[in-house]
Amino acid sequence: MGRSESDPLLEFMYPGHGSSSILDIGQGENGIVGSSSNGNNSFNSLTYQNISENSPLIRNNNSANSLVDHNYNSPLSSTSSSCGKSEILVGTTNEKMDLTGTEEAKVKKIGGSGEHKIGQLFATAICGNDITSSIFYTASSCTLSAGKYAPISLSIVCLVLYLFRKIYGEVGSALPLNGGAYNVLLNTTSKQFASVAAALTMISYVATAVVSGSSAMGYLHSLWEGLDVFWATIILLGFFALLNLMGITESAVVAFIIFVIHMVTLCILVFGGFGLYFYKHDWTILINNYQDVNPDIPIGPDQLPCDRQFYWGQDFAYCIYFGFGSAMLGVTGFETSSNFIEQQKKGVFPKTLRNMWAIVTFFNPLIGVLALCYLPTCSIANANSDVLAQLADRIFGKWFHYWIIIDAVLVLSGSVLTSYVGFVGLVRRMALDRCLPQFLINVNPLRKTCHWIIILFFLICSSLFAIVKGQTSTLEGVYAVSFLGVMGLFAIGNMLLKYKRSSLRREIKSPWIGVLLGLVAVFLGLIANIIRNTSIMFYFGIYFSITIFVIMVMFTRARLLKVVLFFSQIVIWWSPQLKARVARSIGDSIKKINSQPIVFFAAKDDTAYLNKAILYIRDNEQTNWVKIIHCYDDQGESIDNFSQNVEFLDGCYPKIRIDFIKVFADFTPSTVEKISIILGVPKNFMFIACPKEHTGSMVIPLSLGDFGGVRCITH
């Protein structure tokens, strides 16, 4: 087969021949005897009952080291290797695994870390704090762009959000796993392209946490002038890091309290404001605003007069368009729920989308109108994030002005909490997929939380805030581009899901026209923000490049080590012993990276079909070991062609070991769970082609999410 390599330093590149074996997890007295490609018919017996989560055969994380010490006699160890004197890989050669008479295995999702599931109210509160906190600056920024037409722009955004409610809902129904846009693109495109969405989402969360935390402490500074905003922001970020270390349930309780206070505040503002307005019958300010009267009002040192505002003198379409671009930033946080979907109870995810849409649709346009009733357009545009406080002062007086400030501190702080929750869910999923370092998925045994991710997020946000010296204006532009980019990629992912994964079952379906309109709307909003301030692309490019660089290093670390190996053999010319020692060390590191086995559940023996799966794995996963598994429930079914085709492909790819395992059982979530436990392969490294309603014995019962993380990789 051409697997041997004369240079022992390069033996790590050739993992050896594949094997053929049989696994019986059906009912019956006897296991099915299988054969190995090396002709050895002696079998080791292994029962499902003997395997526990503490077994040395089970890998509890994805950094599975498949290198076996020569003194370790594993029942799954390969009996031969073409790698000379190198350590052999744990394989599936020559074993008989008897799982007869076992109960169905409980399916565990890959992203679950043992935390309690949260319900509709708590999940809505976590997301709602983020999306409703934006009203503190959206009313002003939208008026700055649209002037008196701001309520119209805000209403158009609500229509766009309704489209995305369906778009997000369909994806979450078909693929109920953490990761958001990353998750849907991972199951419809390549891992590299999915990582672009992940990078945008991470940038969005970091920018949100820093900007919201700084804004919250800025509001608090207006009440307590002795407060140091810089250190107060760092302390706030640290407080929510500690809260997240305690667990998502405890975090959700705090988020819910903040959310309730904020909803009560907005209701008092809206209902009380309109009630007093219609009671007093003073229409002067509203009429002047719509007649473009330039009021004689004092202008601050950093403020512009009315006739120099962006909207002044522009036509209806111009104002509506750029107002729409600004108003799109008023729905940031809508994507958060999809990044911790596995921590939500069943059926909660679409309800959180509905609740967020309803809240935004009710409050944002009404507050835009209310502001025009009480404040001149120019004053609203100059108010920045202080517009609601000024509005409260005009309606109820100073006491409500202070109330709004306190509410702003709370809800903007809640937005920081939302960023933590979304970031943790996304990074954990990426670490499970080996897109990020594996230590990030370590779980605190006491609170079942991913402490390294939480600490990392705190350090990133704190250091970034220190780098910009507390001036977050540059981050606001980065925040705008990354958020709109994530929404656009989510719409693209939904279209790919419809085209490539149309047979996946889902409870919610978004019409094609709705997805296309949503994508166009987001693109137009992104263009509007870039035209308004072209410099945001420069800053966005810096942050995006750094983030994507870290991810790409993880993708190419095995290749980078090969480059290091090549140059080390040139540089270390004076000492053959040192050269060999360095080569062995680097080779072992590469072998460890590539030794994570990948499972592909094959429904048919077509060579082109199998080859397509292997090509995807080769191009997207860092591995040199593929296990092709075929589940069948008919003992009379001939699978000779399967073995021959797999053996043929095994010879075509000398740098990939391809095993073939026959499983006498239906393809069900329980079967997949048992195989995952026995082989020690996490389910996010178990792939299938997109199944039809009935593909042989492979039947999808409800959705791909029922399998707990198995991925679709081919069309």
Side-chain angles (χ1 to χ4, degrees):
M1 295 287 185
R3 294 291 183 106
S4 61
E5 175 60 50
S6 58
D7 189 352
L9 297 179
L10 301 179
E11 61 188 13
F12 64 86
M13 297 176 61
Y14 300 90
H17 291 292
S19 64
S20 177
S21 55
I22 293 178
L23 171 63
D24 181 7
I25 60 174
Q27 302 294 326
E29 296 294 331
N30 300 316
I32 301 176
V33 177
S35 60
S36 171
S37 60
N38 59 17
N40 190 336
N41 290 322
S42 61
F43 285 82
N44 295 307
S45 179
L46 182 65
T47 63
Y48 178 73
Q49 291 90 338
N50 292 334
I51 297 178
S52 67
E53 293 185 357
N54 296 322
S55 169
L57 300 178
I58 306 304
R59 299 174 179 87
N60 292 320
N61 56 55
N62 293 341
S63 58
N65 183 1
S66 298
L67 301 176
V68 183
D69 186 82
H70 292 296
N71 297 322
Y72 174 59
N73 296 319
S74 168
L76 297 182
S77 297
S78 174
T79 58
S80 65
S81 173
S82 61
C83 296
K85 298 180 181 180
S86 65
E87 293 174 309
I88 60 175
L89 293 167
V90 174
T92 55
T93 57
N94 300 342
E95 83 276 4
K96 172 185 174 183
M97 305 177 202
D98 187 1
L99 304 181
T100 57
T102 61
E103 297 180 356
E104 288 194 1
K106 182 179 179 181
V107 179
K108 298 179 181 179
K109 290 193 175 182
I110 59 172
S113 57
E115 301 172 83
H116 297 293
K117 304 292 184 181
I118 58 178
Q120 178 184 171
L121 293 179
F122 282 177
T124 301
I126 291 175
C127 306
N129 283 328
D130 194 358
I131 199 169
T132 57
S133 67
S134 60
I135 193 60
F136 284 103
Y137 53 83
T138 301
S140 175
S141 62
C142 185
T143 303
L144 178 62
S145 301
K148 61 188 178 184
Y149 302 113
I152 299 177
S153 296
L154 291 167
S155 299
I156 294 174
V157 168
C158 295
L159 295 177
V160 174
L161 196 63
Y162 179 81
L163 299 177
F164 273 91
R165 172 187 163 188
K166 295 286 187 179
I167 293 171
Y168 277 67
E170 180 177 3
V171 172
S173 176
L175 302 169
L177 300 168
N178 288 350
Y182 166 77
N183 178 44
V184 64
L185 292 174
L186 184 66
N187 281 276
T188 53
T189 62
S190 67
K191 209 171 192 179
Q192 289 82 353
F193 187 67
S195 295
V196 173
L200 289 173
T201 307
M202 285 191 286
I203 292 172
S204 176
Y205 282 134
V206 171
T208 299
V210 174
V211 172
S212 297
S214 176
S215 299
M217 294 302 97
Y219 268 104
L220 189 59
H221 181 263
S222 64
L223 294 179
W224 178 17
E225 294 184 357
L227 179 71
D228 188 323
V229 174
F230 180 86
W231 287 109
T233 303
I234 300 295
I235 292 173
L236 181 69
L237 293 170
F239 169 75
F240 281 108
L242 180 63
L243 195 62
N244 274 270
L245 287 171
M246 295 174 61
I248 191 171
T249 303
E250 288 74 10
S251 302
V253 171
V254 175
F256 180 71
I257 294 172
I258 294 173
F259 182 69
V260 170
I261 294 174
H262 185 50
M263 288 297 98
V264 171
T265 302
L266 291 182
C267 286
I268 294 174
L269 178 67
V270 171
F271 290 108
F274 278 111
L276 288 175
Y277 184 76
F278 288 112
Y279 175 75
K280 293 179 179 179
H281 296 288
D282 185 0
W283 314 94
T284 305
I285 296 178
L286 182 63
I287 293 173
N288 288 341
N289 284 336
Y290 277 93
Q291 291 181 349
D292 293 327
V293 175
N294 193 342
D296 184 16
I297 56 176
I299 301 297
D302 297 327
Q303 298 178 342
L304 295 175
C306 292
D307 55 2
R308 293 180 58 190
Q309 294 287 352
F310 182 84
Y311 65 85
W312 191 263
Q314 304 297 337
D315 58 26
F316 172 83
Y318 185 93
C319 292
I320 291 294
Y321 173 62
F322 284 99
F324 167 76
S326 298
M328 281 297 293
L329 300 182
V331 295
T332 53
F334 191 75
E335 79 287 357
T336 301
S337 184
S338 63
N339 282 315
F340 66 100
I341 190 171
E342 293 177 45
Q343 280 70 46
Q344 301 174 35
K345 294 179 180 178
K346 186 176 182 180
V348 166
F349 175 65
K351 294 178 181 178
T352 63
L353 300 177
R354 177 202 62 194
N355 296 343
M356 286 189 289
W357 170 78
I359 291 169
V360 168
T361 301
F362 180 78
F363 283 113
N364 283 20
L366 285 180
I367 290 177
V369 174
L370 187 65
L372 291 172
C373 291
Y374 282 93
L375 299 171
T377 307
C378 186
S379 297
I380 300 172
N382 283 323
N384 295 323
S385 59
D386 195 40
V387 61
L388 292 194
Q390 292 186 24
L391 185 59
D393 190 17
R394 186 68 63 90
I395 296 174
F396 293 112
K398 281 294 181 183
W399 71 272
F400 199 55
H401 172 86
Y402 293 133
W403 183 336
I404 287 289
I405 290 177
I406 295 173
D407 177 63
V409 173
L410 290 175
V411 76
L412 287 169
S413 299
S415 183
V416 176
L417 173 60
T418 300
S419 299
Y420 267 101
V421 174
F423 186 87
V424 169
L426 175 61
V427 172
R428 175 175 168 78
R429 176 62 197 274
M430 293 188 68
L432 286 167
D433 290 336
R434 299 206 299 173
C435 298
L436 292 173
Q438 298 296 286
F439 74 89
L440 294 172
I441 60 177
N442 292 338
V443 174
N444 185 325
L446 296 178
R447 303 303 303 176
K448 306 297 183 182
T449 55
C450 301
H451 50 280
W452 289 120
I453 302 177
I454 296 169
I455 294 172
L456 177 66
F457 187 65
F458 168 71
L459 294 176
I460 291 174
C461 292
S462 300
S463 59
L464 183 59
F465 187 61
I467 290 172
V468 299
K469 299 179 180 179
Q471 303 299 318
T472 59
S473 56
T474 58
L475 291 178
E476 292 173 358
V478 173
Y479 172 55
V481 176
S482 57
F483 167 70
L484 293 175
V486 169
M487 289 194 74
L489 288 176
F490 217 109
I492 293 173
N494 183 283
M495 289 190 288
L496 291 172
L497 190 71
K498 292 176 182 294
Y499 172 66
K500 290 187 173 183
R501 310 289 182 251
S502 59
S503 61
L504 289 182
R505 297 187 183 180
R506 62 207 76 181
E507 298 173 357
I508 301 173
K509 291 186 178 181
S510 175
W512 271 99
I513 185 64
V515 182
L516 291 171
L517 288 175
L519 179 61
V520 170
V522 168
F523 179 76
L524 292 175
L526 179 61
I527 295 300
N529 279 277
I530 294 175
I531 292 175
R532 280 287 311 275
N533 185 5
T534 56
S535 64
I536 64 176
M537 290 304 296
F538 172 75
Y539 294 106
F540 168 78
I542 294 175
Y543 292 113
F544 179 76
S545 299
I546 294 173
T547 306
I548 205 70
F549 173 77
V550 174
I551 296 175
M552 288 301 110
V553 167
M554 287 298 299
F555 275 132
T556 59
R557 63 189 188 276
R559 295 179 183 177
L560 293 175
L561 285 173
K562 290 179 183 178
V563 174
V564 173
L565 174 62
F566 174 79
F567 283 104
S568 69
Q569 300 305 293
I570 298 176
V571 174
I572 311 176
W573 52 269
W574 70 89
S575 175
Q577 293 82 6
L578 179 60
K579 181 190 294 186
R581 189 158 56 247
V582 170
R584 280 194 299 270
S585 177
I586 296 176
D588 287 344
S589 297
I590 296 174
K591 196 186 299 182
K592 182 178 180 180
I593 293 171
N594 289 334
S595 62
Q596 170 64 61
I598 301 294
V599 168
F600 176 67
F601 289 99
K604 54 186 178 180
D605 59 6
D606 181 67
T607 307
Y609 162 82
L610 296 174
N611 185 58
K612 189 175 181 181
I614 294 171
L615 287 174
Y616 176 91
I617 294 171
R618 185 194 65 179
D619 295 338
N620 290 273
E621 302 295 334
Q622 296 182 88
T623 186
N624 58 9
W625 192 6
V626 178
K627 297 174 181 286
I628 296 177
I629 297 180
H630 175 61
C631 297
Y632 65 104
D633 55 7
D634 182 5
Q635 294 197 40
E637 178 182 345
S638 175
I639 52 178
D640 292 339
N641 287 339
F642 241 124
S643 299
Q644 294 172 5
N645 291 344
V646 171
E647 184 177 359
F648 168 73
L649 291 172
D650 185 49
C652 292
Y653 295 94
K655 294 183 180 180
I656 302 176
R657 169 180 171 174
I658 305 175
D659 292 346
F660 178 52
I661 303 176
K662 294 154 281 187
V663 178
F664 184 64
D666 289 328
F667 182 75
T668 64
S670 178
T671 299
V672 172
E673 186 71 29
K674 292 177 182 179
I675 294 173
S676 175
I677 292 174
I678 291 174
L679 300 183
V681 179
K683 289 192 291 297
N684 52 315
F685 294 119
M686 306 180 90
F687 303 157
I688 61 172
C690 186
K692 305 299 181 184
E693 289 289 329
H694 295 277
T695 307
S697 60
M698 298 179 67
V699 181
I700 296 298
L702 180 61
S703 73
L704 193 64
D706 292 337
F707 290 84
V710 174
R711 273 167 51 192
C712 281
I713 63 169
T714 61
H715 185 24

